[in-house]
Amino acid sequence: MADKSPSASFIRAMAAEKAGKPEEARARYLEALQAEPQNPKTLHRLGVVELRLGRAREAVVLFQKSLAIAKDPEVYLDFGAAMAGMARWDAAATVYAAALRVAPDSVDAHYGLALALHSQGRPQDAEPHYRKVLATHSHLGEVHNNLGVALQDLGRFAEAVAAHREAARLSPADASALSRLGVALHHLGHDAEAEAAFRKAIGLAPLDANIRHDLTCLLHAVGRPADAVAAGRPAVALDPSSARNWLALGNAAHAMRLREDAWRAAAAAVRLEPSDPAAHNNLANALRELGRLREAVAGYRAALDLQPDFPTAEINLAQILSILRESNGALAILRNLLARQPLNVEAWRRLAGILAEAFRPDLAVAALRKAVAVAPDDADACADLAMAAAMSGWSAVSVVACRRVLRLVPGHGAALGQLVHQQRLLCDWRDLDGLEALLLRRVREGGEGVSPFDVLSCASTLADQQSAATRWAAAKARGTIPVHRPAALPRDGRLRIGYLSSDFREHAMGHLMVDALETHDRSRFAVTAYSTGADDGSPLRRRFEQGLERFVDLYRHGDTDAAQVIASDGIDILVDLTGFTTFSRTSILAARPAPLQVNWLGYPGTLGAGYVDYILADPDVIAEGEEAFFTERVVRLPDCYQPNDRRRAIATTTPARADCGLPADGFVFCCFNSAYKLTPALFDGWARILAAVPGSVLWLYAGNPQVAANLRREGEARGLDPGRLVFAGPIPHAEHLARHRLADLFLDTLPYNAHTTASDALWAGLPVLTRRGTTFAGRVAASLLRAAGLPELIVDGQEAYEAAAVDLARSPQRLRGLRERLVRNRQSCPLFDTPRFTRHLEAAYRAMWDIHLAGGQPRAIAIAAEGGSGLPSAAQEGND
């Protein structure tokens, strides 16, 4: 008969288990338990077999029964392993802790407990148990590696690097140790070493997609998106089911502006992990880059449905709603976020940006002050504060913010340019020469971020201005998607001209352009005004809306949508009237909504943009031989590039001198230019002029009280009685024109001339004395005077300028003759002959379009003055 004693069954069960026959072993252990049901060893081994057969619940019951009979450390270890295998980390930790109470020195129990605690997210509790194992088993590379991971989780990266290095030394073929070492090195900023570790790990485990994922993330983080894409593609090929691999590849492709690749990668991640809010956020980012803004909004909302408290997605959604001009929705999102996270600097910055775009710079300043209070060392927040304060007219606040930015980031281009401009607006000339020299050096060294407008009023060259504009235009075009233009639209034989501007309102540019736009020949030209500025409710705004054939309000359209509207209208020539001035929308031009695009009037210089074909000028503002400094092809109108409004009203009542703070007697020099056009050298000359003309005064515009205070201080430093400086504040335009009658001579500025202010003076009958400059901005007054029939008021050189001013003040009869000629010419001179100007303008458009229709590239054009036929003609100046 067969021996069925418990010991014999147990022995046969052990043999079957050892031979890899778990079913037979189970049967034999059950036989043993029938004879001796309370045998702890048999219960233990049967539990182990049940575990191997995949019956974890049965195994747990057997382990518990065994331990109830005898506290055997080996049972605890197997029981703990069972819990760990079921990912029951809390139970595993409890079991391993119980094992240590029975056998305090058990290395296996310490290691099991360390792994269980670590897996619960308790690296600080796991660390001492890893170290307990290594105290007696320092040769175990795996334990060093896991200790390193725990130290990384605790943010102790230097210690983690040491642990991973030891793991790699002990186990040189362990790719995991090298990969973890790479992660720790990256956290310490040792990126070259990190990359080397990752690449060595890939050499050991070329099919490990996780290591390639980590390398992809590293390369993306250090600004090498092309290399990151190269690393990320094998990762998704090795493990296409991993959403994290697709996300990493998508991030790298996004950084490279591989828009389609980024979208496909993000879409794959969403398909694989539809409940991952980060994947939805990334997909929305990719859709935004593709110009699919409404789909992007849906993507961000999907991310927030999954994770309502997701600041990154909230800020992204607010930003895109702002782009879509849904400001109220964007503001609501950000305010809700800030109610939860009042220390979120990025949210404050985004809130401020939307408020500024909504023409509430005062509220933007308040928001940015909070951002700077939260993060005083955040240079971006300080730079935003400087810009918002400038928009509010708070130049002193802007100056302080700019100086803070420059302390944080010496050489910061935008802050340096803004500081120069704001100090100019305040006439605070202390250290201005040095700041301007720094600004121009940055431009000449190819520095980014300098606004071209800030360069115009410095002692800059045409080359400087082109350099700054080229980089600025490229930045504005970055990420822009060309819009679709219809292949063909019904045509009525007219050339379609679109005018793009934020200044169809009570604004200097609005006053200049309105008459010319109204005067277009509607039988030959279909004219549309595209307004990107807010409706200020002014009579001038109503005049634009009512006086033009079409007026399209694009203020609430994002740049892409606005460009698509223009393209869908089939505009032939789009004329930008804003340039790089406040509230410009250059990205609309970058989307190329029209076959031909023109820079005119709003900005006195090149836009430096390959997407702008022509610049309208005249022989004075752009001299022969200067074409190379303009990215656009130069079109010269015969008289003056600047139009004027024949209906510009002048108040009939002239104020008394006393009402304006002027003396009853004495010569009145004036300059109503903005304060930023004044310079110390110019003021030196004015002081000498006043000294040479006893009893004279200088009447200046000062919208900011600090301007008057600073100029009085500067005057005293030059020996001037402060009473000889008189300051005019802002008043309605018609009354402002009327007060020009109290002045005797307008003194122009350099390097940035009077532009609209010179036209105002000449229209009001006040002669303007100008010194010809070396750039477009410094020659406008010369162009105006020539077109007004007063070329003798154009001089070259400072000495001639001062001598002419003094001579005119001492020659009242000559000055009276100039005034009479100006008033006599006002109805007939080219400067104020708007129909003549518009015919020349239309000839320019027709010449541009004829070249385009013939398949030619844009080239220089000169428009001849209209002859006996009454029609102007065009001549091509070359093929450059």
Side-chain angles (χ1 to χ4, degrees), residues 676-839:
Y676 74 85
K677 296 184 180 182
L678 278 56
T679 69
L682 181 78
F683 207 66
D684 289 342
W686 285 352
R688 289 190 291 267
I689 290 169
L690 291 174
V693 182
S696 63
V697 296
L698 179 59
W699 193 15
L700 301 169
Y701 178 77
N704 186 325
Q706 286 180 272
V707 170
N710 286 336
L711 287 177
R712 286 193 178 99
R713 184 189 70 243
E714 293 290 341
E716 289 177 345
R718 291 162 173 80
L720 278 180
D721 177 353
R724 298 186 70 182
L725 297 177
V726 182
F727 296 96
I731 57 175
H733 193 250
E735 296 173 28
H736 170 63
L737 290 176
R739 67 182 172 186
H740 281 73
R741 300 183 185 121
L742 301 179
D744 297 299
L745 180 65
F746 188 111
L747 295 177
D748 194 17
T749 53
L750 202 70
Y752 201 132
N753 279 176
H755 293 187
T756 308
T757 46
S759 286
D760 285 344
L762 295 171
W763 179 249
L766 176 63
V768 175
L769 176 66
T770 192
R771 176 183 164 195
R772 194 191 332 260
T774 58
T775 67
F776 191 135
R779 295 173 180 161
V780 171
S783 173
L784 298 173
L785 285 164
R786 195 177 303 282
L790 297 176
E792 61 265 51
L793 292 180
I794 306 166
V795 300
D796 292 297
Q798 181 65 25
E799 188 175 337
Y801 173 80
E802 294 178 27
V806 172
D807 182 62
L808 286 167
R810 292 172 177 173
S811 308
Q813 189 170 352
R814 182 181 168 216
L815 188 58
R816 188 180 308 111
L818 291 171
R819 296 187 77 124
E820 290 172 353
R821 192 197 322 165
L822 181 57
V823 172
R824 188 169 58 250
N825 288 353
R826 198 173 75 169
Q827 300 305 316
S828 58
C829 68
L831 182 61
F832 300 120
D833 187 345
T834 306
R836 171 188 171 97
F837 174 88
T838 306
R839 288 192 293 273

Side-chain angles (χ1 to χ4, degrees), residues 361 365 387-398 422 425-426 703-704 706:
V365 168
M387 179 61 71
M391 292 172 64
S392 293
W394 300 341
S395 293
V397 175
S398 184
Q422 295 305 313
L425 279 170
L426 292 170
N704 186 325
Q706 286 180 272

Side-chain angles (χ1 to χ4, degrees), residues 131 284 316 352 406 616 659 689 725 803:
R131 294 195 183 278
N316 286 339
L406 290 168
L616 286 171
D659 293 338
I689 290 169
L725 297 177

